[in-house]
């Protein structure tokens, strides 16, 4: 999400202040009613290790067993929290939203806390859109819709600041033992557990109402080797990263080598490389060459749901290894360390261009025709190894920045693009383009991929088109793009094919949906909406996104797939859309490694019965 889009979003949303007064009753204290429908809460032993209890609820005519939340009888008592805090070296803290310092009182689930601090508020005001500022806050969510947009920066300290969907407490883990203690505490006390690395998540998976968070962002170790020796035949260069390492840190270190090395990361330099990215797959500008980040993984160290630290590689726990490679974030364990293949870096060229009203004489029909022509080349672009990042949003704004040609001179790259440019010229379109060659891909990455912004609120979804879809139905795809814009959303496109460079013999080594091996365009749809909009408005917008906006893309691309990390949390037929024929095996692996559901993130294997009832708050299992 670029600064350009961020400004579009903020003008669309007027998100500078808390708009609706938060209902006071969201701050649950001792009055919480625990509706006992049988089973009930049993006697507790003070400070005892393992008491597995549920809070039973009825919601929309169904019965649920819910994880323990503040105010419930089964929520741990003071002594139990004290013991946990001692076990994690005093690193247990109450979660406070990023801009709570602008409010007199933070009314969280654990009670009121005085929070006003003029200096900290000024810092929050100035830095709210900064990704890295939000990343360093232990429980912030960069996309705020799923925090319920509570406690945004305000100039009125008497405004109401409630907990929204922010978690309740967090462990700022400094050692693996802290992570193990957190997993075991959440398991034994039956608490909702959230793993939080950078907080980039589009689907709300790094926050969660009532949850205990394990923050893994402090694990910043990086080590490099030129001759990996491990459980597989690979003996080339590799990087080992701690759970908190971000792409820009790993890439900088690799670039400092002689000769410089590179690894697969996302296009966004602040996303973590050992957390959600690899567990969702992880596509980026090098995906045409080496597949997904997951395809380059050699080994993980992971804390599983029983609190045990395990190795997962091709020989040891190979089922877990396979599932961690694209099977879904926070579903099989907490990754504490990951090792990936690295590659020689090559000179690379990048081209940028854009089409606005001035390029088409203000003729919107012509503008769409130009986009249709561009899109009809998707298959040729990826067949030539190109990666293309582009945005389409209202006001006839079409930006392509950049087209990436790794190991290509400017002349080679422009030769691949020339047929498109010739077509545009023949259509009467005038345009500027710029192509630059850089000594390495790393230099191109830093120069051409723009800084992205935090603090946006929107629903996201998306779909990926198969090469067959582009070949057979490009006009239908463009109609589905028009439908996206006509319904108030916009598009971010990424052209790549996860099967282009990776040998077919390796495709099944990770849990990535096999369909991603023959695609050419992965779209994100973004529907701006304030997280504090009225509930009815939220429900209506969600239906528009799922059924109309994404529904149109799905209908236009029957050979496509959905990408779990850039998706609609309410994706229909999510099992097939995200994992295709790999789903049954993933489900078995989930049941083996996390039979009781210690981990949760929406629409990941084995979560069929889990729901966030009571308007996106309590995490419960349908009975
Ligand atoms: C601006 C932007 C650009 C993006 N660009 C790309 C892109 O180019 N390619 C791409 O593939 N994706 C991209 N993404 C999506 C990205 O893959 C996801 O947001 C990803 O989940 C982020 O992982 P994280 O660990 O950094 O973030 P977090 O939000 O902290 O975590 C995301 C999920 O992973 C889980 N998780 C985190 N750490 C661990 C761990 N150690 N063990 C177990 N579970 C863990 C969390 O519980 C959560 O479910 C982009 C996202 C944004 C916001
Ligand atoms: C809050 O709860 C009280 C008592 O349960 C109820 O009378 C009141 O209507 C509630 N207020 C809101 C805003 O829901
Ligand atoms: C909540 O319960 C505790 C212990 O049971 C009690 O000390 C406290 O006063 C109660 N708080 C409120 C707001 O009722
Ligand atoms: C945990 O212990 C530290 C250090 O003693 C303390 O500062 C912190 O407030 C404690 N956390 C909680 C939630 O009480
Ligand atoms: C918490 O703070 C709010 C806002 O200041 C106030 O209305 C409410 O009475 C407080 N609740 C308690 C239990 O102190
Ligand atoms: C979340 O926001 C909605 C309005 O969009 C509000 O009705 C609801 O009470 C909020 N819930 C929490 C837990 O903040
Ligand atoms: C706009 O462009 C379309 C497609 O090229 C063309 O058919 C139409 O005549 C143009 N409209 C105007 C007003 O020029
Ligand atoms: C780089 O491109 C040249 C052709 O321009 C090709 O011969 C060579 O194999 C490529 N190198 C890699 C690593 O792809
Ligand atoms: C990939 O899609 C193309 C275009 O439809 C098709 O020709 C080819 O057979 C497909 N390849 C595989 C491996 O499915």
């Amino acid at each position: 999400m670029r600064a350009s889009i961020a400004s579009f979003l903020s003008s669309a949303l007027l998100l500078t202040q808390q708009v609706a007064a938060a209902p006071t009753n969201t701050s649950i204290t001792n009055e919480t009613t625990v509706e006992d429908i049988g089973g009930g809460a049993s006697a507790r032993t003070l400070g005892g290790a393992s008491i597995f209890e549920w809070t039973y609820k009825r919601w929309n005519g169904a019965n649920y067993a819910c994880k323990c939340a503040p105010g419930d009888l089964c929520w741990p008592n003071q002594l139990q929290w004290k013991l946990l805090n001692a076990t994690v070296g005093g690193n247990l803290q109450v979660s406070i939203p990023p801009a709570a310092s602008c409010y007199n009182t933070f009314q969280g689930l654990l009670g009121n806390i005085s929070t006003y601090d003029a200096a900290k508020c000024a810092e929050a005001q100035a830095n709210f859109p900064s990704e890295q500022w939000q990343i360093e806050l232990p429980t912030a969510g960069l996309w705020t819709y799923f925090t319920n947009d509570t406690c945004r920066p305000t100039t009125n300290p008497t405004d109401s600041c409630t907990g929204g969907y922010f978690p309740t407490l967090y462990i700022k883990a400094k050692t693996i033992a802290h992570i193990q203690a957190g997993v075991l505490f959440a398991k034994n006390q039956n608490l909702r557990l959230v793993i939080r690395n950078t907080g980039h998540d589009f689907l709300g998976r790094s926050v969660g109402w009532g949850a205990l968070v394990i923050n893994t962002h402090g694990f910043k170790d990086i080590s490099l080797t030129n001759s990996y020796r491990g459980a597989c035949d690979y003996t080339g260069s590799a990087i080992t990263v701690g759970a908190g390492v971000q792409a820009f840190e790993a890439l900088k270190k690799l670039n400092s080598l002689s000769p410089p090395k590179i690894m697969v990361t996302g296009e966004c330099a602040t996303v973590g490389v050992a957390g959600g990215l690899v567990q969702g797959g992880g596509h980026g500008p090098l995906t045409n060459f080496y597949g997904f980040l997951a395809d380059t993984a050699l080994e993980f160290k992971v804390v599983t749901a029983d609190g045990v630290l395990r190795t997962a590689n091709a020989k040891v726990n190979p089922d877990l290894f396979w599932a961690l490679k694209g099977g879904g974030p926070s579903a099989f364990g907490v990754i504490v360390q990951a090792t990936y293949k690295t590659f020689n870096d090559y000179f690379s060229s990048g081209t940028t261009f854009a089409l606005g009203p001035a390029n088409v004489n203000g003729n919107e029909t012509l503008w769409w025709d130009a986009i249709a022509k561009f899109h009809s080349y998707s298959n040729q672009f990826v067949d030539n190894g190109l990666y293309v990042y582009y945005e389409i949003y209202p006001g006839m704004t079409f930006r392509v920045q950049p087209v990436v040609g790794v190991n290509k001179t400017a002349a080679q790259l422009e030769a691949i693009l020339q047929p498109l440019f010739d077509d545009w010229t023949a259509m009467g379109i005038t345009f500027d383009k710029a192509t630059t060659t850089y000594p390495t891909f790393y230099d191109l990455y830093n120069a051409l991929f723009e800084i992205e912004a935090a603090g946006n609120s929107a629903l996201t979804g998306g779909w990926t088109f198969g090469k067959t879809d582009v070949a057979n139905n490009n006009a239908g795809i463009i109609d589905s793009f028009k439908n996206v814009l006509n319904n108030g959303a916009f598009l971010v496109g990424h052209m790549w094919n996860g099967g282009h460079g990776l040998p077919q013999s390796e495709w099944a080594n990770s849990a990535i949906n096999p369909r991603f091996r023959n695609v050419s365009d992965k779209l994100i749809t973004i529907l701006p909406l304030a997280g504090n909009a009225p509930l009815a408005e939220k429900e209506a917008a969600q239906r528009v996104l799922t059924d109309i906006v994404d529904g149109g893309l799905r209908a236009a691309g029957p050979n496509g797939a959905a990408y779990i990390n850039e998706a609609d949390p309410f994706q229909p037929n999510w099992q097939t859309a995200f994992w295709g024929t790999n789903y049954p095996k993933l489900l078995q692996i989930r049941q083996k490694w996390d039979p009781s559901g210690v981990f949760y993130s929406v629409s990941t294997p084995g979560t069929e019965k889990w729901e966030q009832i009571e308007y996106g708050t309590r995490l419960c299992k349908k009975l």
Side-chain angles (χ1 to χ4, degrees):
M1 184 55 31
R2 306 314 175 67
S4 54
I5 291 189
S7 68
F8 165 72
L9 268 172
S10 55
S11 62
L13 289 176
L14 298 171
L15 265 177
T16 48
Q17 300 225 341
Q18 182 91 346
V19 184
T24 50
N25 290 14
T26 51
S27 158
I28 292 174
T29 57
N30 295 7
E31 291 99 39
T32 311
T33 50
V34 180
E35 190 185 345
D36 193 334
I37 54 166
S42 58
R44 311 176 59 77
T45 35
L46 258 184
S50 176
I51 323 157
F52 205 77
E53 292 175 276
W54 299 94
T55 294
Y56 293 94
K57 288 275 173 181
R58 245 188 113 66
W59 173 251
N60 281 346
N63 294 334
Y64 291 88
C66 304
K67 297 219 177 197
C68 303
D72 293 355
L73 288 175
C74 61
W75 181 251
N77 60 36
Q78 294 287 349
L79 180 57
Q80 289 165 317
W81 285 115
K82 267 207 164 111
L83 288 172
L84 174 65
N85 200 2
T87 313
V88 300
N91 288 300
L92 177 74
Q93 301 286 346
V94 173
S95 164
I96 311 243
S101 53
C102 297
Y103 298 78
N104 290 333
T105 309
F106 166 55
Q107 300 166 253
L109 296 183
L110 300 176
N112 285 354
I113 299 176
S114 296
T115 41
Y116 187 77
D117 180 324
K120 279 193 177 159
C121 174
E123 185 195 323
Q125 299 269 20
N127 290 294
F128 206 74
S130 155
E131 284 192 329
Q132 198 59 31
W133 184 78
Q134 298 261 5
I135 287 167
E136 299 303 334
L137 298 171
T139 58
L142 274 54
W143 283 76
T144 59
Y145 183 82
F146 288 105
T147 69
N148 224 17
D149 258 342
T150 183
C151 310
R152 294 185 77 92
T154 179
T155 49
N156 180 4
T158 65
D159 281 350
S160 165
C161 168
T162 58
Y165 301 154
F166 278 104
T168 308
L169 294 121
Y170 66 91
I171 297 167
K172 192 139 180 45
K174 305 260 166 67
T175 66
I176 293 173
H178 296 167
I179 295 179
Q180 293 174 293
V183 169
L184 282 177
F185 190 80
K187 176 179 193 252
N188 293 336
Q189 303 293 335
N190 201 18
L191 308 182
R192 177 170 186 180
L193 177 64
V194 165
I195 315 303
R196 199 278 194 179
N197 179 19
T198 67
H200 264 93
D201 208 79
F202 285 117
L203 296 84
R205 300 176 302 195
S206 43
V207 295
W209 184 90
L212 171 67
V213 168
I214 299 175
N215 180 301
T216 57
H217 190 58
F219 289 72
K220 289 286 194 181
D221 287 348
I222 300 180
S223 64
L224 306 169
T225 177
N226 273 322
S227 47
Y228 180 76
R229 294 286 176 276
C232 55
D233 297 337
Y234 180 79
T235 55
S237 60
I239 184 169
T240 298
V241 293
V245 171
Q246 292 167 264
F248 70 89
E249 296 165 319
L251 293 175
K252 188 173 179 195
K253 194 115 183 182
L254 289 169
N255 183 257
S256 72
L257 296 173
S258 179
K261 296 275 181 184
I262 197 80
M263 68 183 288
V264 177
T265 69
E267 55 84 15
C268 173
T270 52
V271 169
V273 289
L277 187 71
V278 66
Q279 292 170 83
H283 67 82
L286 300 180
T287 291
N288 284 311
F289 295 86
Y290 312 115
F292 288 75
L293 172 63
D295 293 317
T296 69
L298 295 165
E299 180 171 285
F300 298 105
K301 300 280 185 211
V302 55
V303 174
T304 44
D306 53 5
V308 176
L309 175 67
R310 291 190 154 85
T311 296
N313 61 36
K315 295 227 170 74
V316 184
N317 298 313
D319 59 341
L320 186 59
F321 182 52
W322 182 80
L324 288 169
K325 294 187 289 182
S330 195
F332 303 95
V334 187
I335 292 179
V336 300
Q337 182 185 293
T339 302
Y340 301 106
K341 292 179 187 173
T342 62
F343 308 94
N344 290 331
D345 200 358
Y346 293 97
F347 71 90
S348 299
S349 299
T351 303
T352 61
F353 45 89
L355 294 182
N359 304 98
V360 291
N361 292 319
N363 183 337
E364 190 161 6
T365 309
L366 185 56
W367 184 74
W368 277 116
D369 287 351
I371 292 176
K373 191 54 83 179
F374 160 80
H375 203 269
S376 72
Y377 283 99
S378 308
N379 293 353
Q380 282 95 314
F381 290 162
V382 301
D383 288 349
N384 281 286
L386 303 190
Y387 168 93
V388 184
Y389 181 100
Y390 68 94
E391 301 162 348
I392 302 175
Y393 52 111
M396 278 194 248
T397 305
F398 172 54
R399 299 176 73 233
V400 183
Q401 176 158 355
V403 179
V404 180
V406 177
N407 184 33
K408 286 191 166 45
T409 62
Q412 286 170 325
L413 176 54
E414 290 212 349
I416 300 166
L417 297 173
Q418 197 57 46
L420 168 67
F421 294 149
D422 290 345
D423 286 343
W424 278 357
T425 302
M427 291 163 76
I429 296 164
T430 55
F431 56 93
D432 293 321
K433 58 184 164 57
T435 301
T436 310
T437 303
Y438 298 85
T440 62
F441 166 73
Y442 177 74
D443 293 303
L444 181 152
Y445 185 81
N446 286 334
L448 293 186
F449 285 93
E450 297 166 295
I451 301 280
E452 319 208 9
N456 301 308
S457 183
L459 301 179
T460 59
W463 191 248
T464 309
F465 291 106
K467 286 175 66 180
T468 312
D469 299 322
V470 175
N472 296 345
N473 189 31
N474 192 57
I477 290 172
I478 298 307
D479 284 342
S480 77
F481 286 7
K482 293 177 187 166
N483 178 60
V484 170
L485 265 62
N486 287 339
N487 281 283
F490 60 94
L491 287 157
V492 179
H494 311 68
M495 291 178 184
W496 47 254
N497 176 14
H500 177 71
L502 190 75
Q504 188 158 359
S505 58
E506 294 181 31
W507 290 0
N509 291 352
S510 75
I512 302 284
N513 188 337
R515 284 193 164 192
F516 283 122
R517 307 304 181 183
N518 205 22
V519 297
S520 59
D521 194 14
K522 196 208 84 69
L523 278 309
I524 306 178
T525 51
I526 299 174
L527 180 61
L529 180 65
N532 52 17
L535 278 174
E537 207 177 295
K538 284 182 170 178
E539 281 164 18
Q542 183 65 56
R543 278 198 302 275
V544 168
L545 179 84
T546 305
D547 300 339
I548 301 175
V549 168
D550 281 6
L553 300 182
R554 287 193 298 271
N559 300 289
Y563 175 55
I564 175 76
N565 280 352
E566 296 171 325
D568 176 3
F570 303 101
Q571 167 72 45
N573 302 317
W574 54 267
Q575 296 90 336
T576 308
F578 293 141
W579 291 288
T581 49
N582 285 338
Y583 189 75
K585 188 170 158 195
L586 278 171
L587 182 59
Q588 276 179 1
I589 297 171
R590 175 71 185 266
Q591 282 159 351
K592 172 180 165 189
W593 289 102
D594 183 19
S596 65
V598 172
F599 299 109
Y600 173 80
S601 63
V602 67
S603 302
T604 51
T607 57
E608 281 81 356
K609 286 190 173 165
W610 291 92
E611 256 178 75
Q612 295 178 78
I613 67 163
E614 298 181 346
Y615 307 108
T617 57
R618 275 181 184 276
L619 180 62
C620 306
K621 196 171 188 180
K622 201 169 190 176
L623 295 173

